Amino acid sequence: QERDDHCRRGNEERKQRYPSDQEHRRERSGDRDKHRDHSDRRKNANERPGVRGHEREREVQNIREQQAEREFYNERRREHRQNNEGGGVDQNPELRQSDNKPKEKAAVNKEKPSFELSGALLEDTNTFRGVVIKYSEPPEARIPKKRWRLYPFKNDEFLPVMYIHRQSAYLLGRHRRIADIPIDHPSCSKQHAVFQYRLVEYTRADGTVGRRVRPYIIDLGSGNGTFLNNQRIEPQRYYELKEKDVLKFGFSSREYVLLHESSDKSEANTKDDDDEEEKEEESDS
């Protein structure tokens, strides 16, 4: 009994001496319970669908903002590189815009519409044997009454005579499929020149105006040119031909002398022929 009484007294004394330890343990256990309750509440709040969606929207918005910033900085880097490649960096963007404005205006002025003839319709209609002809006859084209001839010579060698009075125009060139008078020299163009008869007006000695058919030559923009009496003529321009004129094409050594059937007659006879031709042309017109 004395032992038991001694143990009880010891326990009571300990309880009286250290009451704060038990209270501290209780407080710690209470704090743990509070912390668990707070964490449970946060978990329950996060598990709500509205909170999750709001957080996702924030994340998506942040990602978009980051991408926009990256694109902006990338564009600035590209502009910086382009300016460096162009020979220098423009520190003032306003000056750069002012420099670009006149260039843009000039480009706009260059792009004005053109109402000139394009030649597309002419290419569709002015074809012969599947080849587009560069030349079209003028409205004053006529077939001559006088019988003109070309006498070709090659190094003082006489070649066959060419009779050129049956048509109003004769195409000269290297393209044998369409050329009326073929020229085989390699320095000549495929469509080199045209021998054209035209009805033109002239003034008589008494001051009156008459009309007659005269021969003309026109170069079609050939590479090596057409020569009239050893002088090169301008392309796309009519040159009136007279009796005994000499024609050469390119670097060919052939010379073509223009004559007609009454070239050996006197001047009076030739004038009579011109008057008769004029009368016939007036009656035809």
Side-chain angles (χ1 to χ4, degrees):
Q1 290 177 356
E2 288 178 357
R3 288 179 183 176
D4 295 335
D5 294 335
H6 183 72
C7 290
R8 287 175 185 174
R9 290 173 184 175
N11 290 329
E12 290 176 359
E13 289 176 359
R14 287 176 184 173
K15 289 178 181 180
Q16 291 176 0
R17 289 178 183 176
Y18 305 103
S20 61
D21 293 339
Q22 294 179 358
E23 292 176 358
H24 182 66
R25 289 176 184 174
R26 290 175 184 175
E27 289 177 358
R28 290 185 65 185
S29 64
D31 294 336
R32 288 176 183 174
D33 295 336
K34 290 179 182 180
H35 183 70
R36 287 176 184 175
D37 294 337
H38 183 67
S39 62
D40 292 337
R41 289 176 184 175
R42 291 187 63 184
K43 288 180 180 179
N44 293 329
N46 292 330
E47 288 177 356
R48 294 177 185 175
V51 176
R52 286 185 178 178
H54 187 66
E55 290 181 354
R56 289 178 182 176
E57 290 179 358
R58 285 184 178 178
E59 291 178 357
V60 172
Q61 188 175 0
N62 293 331
I63 292 170
R64 289 178 181 175
E65 291 177 356
Q66 291 176 0
Q67 290 179 353
E69 289 179 358
R70 288 176 184 173
E71 291 177 357
F72 176 73
Y73 286 112
N74 289 333
E75 289 179 359
R76 292 189 65 182
R77 288 174 185 172
R78 290 173 187 172
E79 292 178 357
H80 185 70
R81 290 176 184 174
Q82 290 177 359
N83 293 329
N84 289 333
E85 290 176 358
V89 181
D90 296 334
Q91 296 179 355
N92 194 351
E94 295 180 359
L95 295 176
R96 191 192 310 163
Q97 292 178 359
S98 63
D99 294 338
N100 292 332
K101 284 181 181 178
K103 294 180 180 179
E104 292 176 356
K105 290 182 180 178
V108 171
N109 292 331
K110 288 182 180 179
E111 293 176 357
K112 287 183 178 179
S114 177
F115 299 101
E116 297 179 358
L117 297 176
S118 62
L121 295 176
L122 183 62
E123 290 182 358
D124 294 337
T125 56
N126 197 21
T127 55
F128 181 70
R129 294 181 180 177
V131 181
V132 178
I133 308 298
K134 295 181 181 179
Y135 176 79
S136 59
E137 290 191 57
E140 67 272 14
R142 296 289 188 278
I143 297 176
K145 301 295 182 181
K146 188 179 292 186
R147 297 182 179 180
W148 291 91
R149 303 170 184 174
L150 280 177
Y151 291 84
F153 294 91
K154 182 179 180 181
N155 298 326
D156 297 333
E157 180 184 355
F158 182 74
L159 298 175
V161 181
M162 298 179 180
Y163 297 91
I164 53 171
H165 64 277
R166 299 181 178 90
Q167 298 176 189
S168 60
Y170 288 85
L171 177 64
L172 299 91
R174 198 160 37 87
H175 204 308
R176 282 185 167 268
R177 192 173 183 180
I178 57 174
D180 300 310
I181 301 176
I183 304 174
D184 296 330
H185 199 270
S187 65
C188 297
S189 302
K190 292 182 179 180
Q191 300 181 37
H192 196 96
V194 172
F195 191 86
Q196 177 71 59
Y197 292 102
R198 302 171 64 197
L199 180 63
V200 294
E201 295 181 352
Y202 74 103
T203 304
R204 299 189 185 91
D206 56 357
T208 59
V209 178
R211 295 189 302 173
R212 61 185 177 184
V213 177
R214 300 298 299 170
Y216 287 81
I217 190 73
I218 180 172
D219 185 84
L220 300 180
S222 60
N224 297 314
T226 302
F227 298 86
L228 175 60
N229 297 328
N230 294 325
Q231 291 184 358
R232 185 168 181 172
I233 63 175
E234 296 180 5
Q236 307 297 335
R237 180 183 172 185
Y238 286 107
Y239 285 82
E240 184 178 355
L241 298 177
K242 298 179 181 179
E243 187 181 357
K244 297 180 182 179
D245 281 346
V246 180
L247 293 171
K248 291 183 69 176
F249 305 98
F251 301 134
S252 176
S253 60
R254 292 191 180 188
E255 296 180 349
Y256 299 85
V257 181
L258 179 64
L259 296 171
H260 55 79
E261 60 183 357
S262 58
S263 295
D264 55 345
K265 296 181 182 179
S266 61
E267 294 181 359
N269 290 334
T270 56
K271 290 181 180 179
D272 294 338
D273 293 338
D274 291 339
D275 293 337
E276 290 178 359
E277 183 180 355
E278 179 187 349
K279 290 179 182 178
E280 291 177 356
E281 291 298 333
E282 289 178 356
S283 62
D284 291 342
S285 58

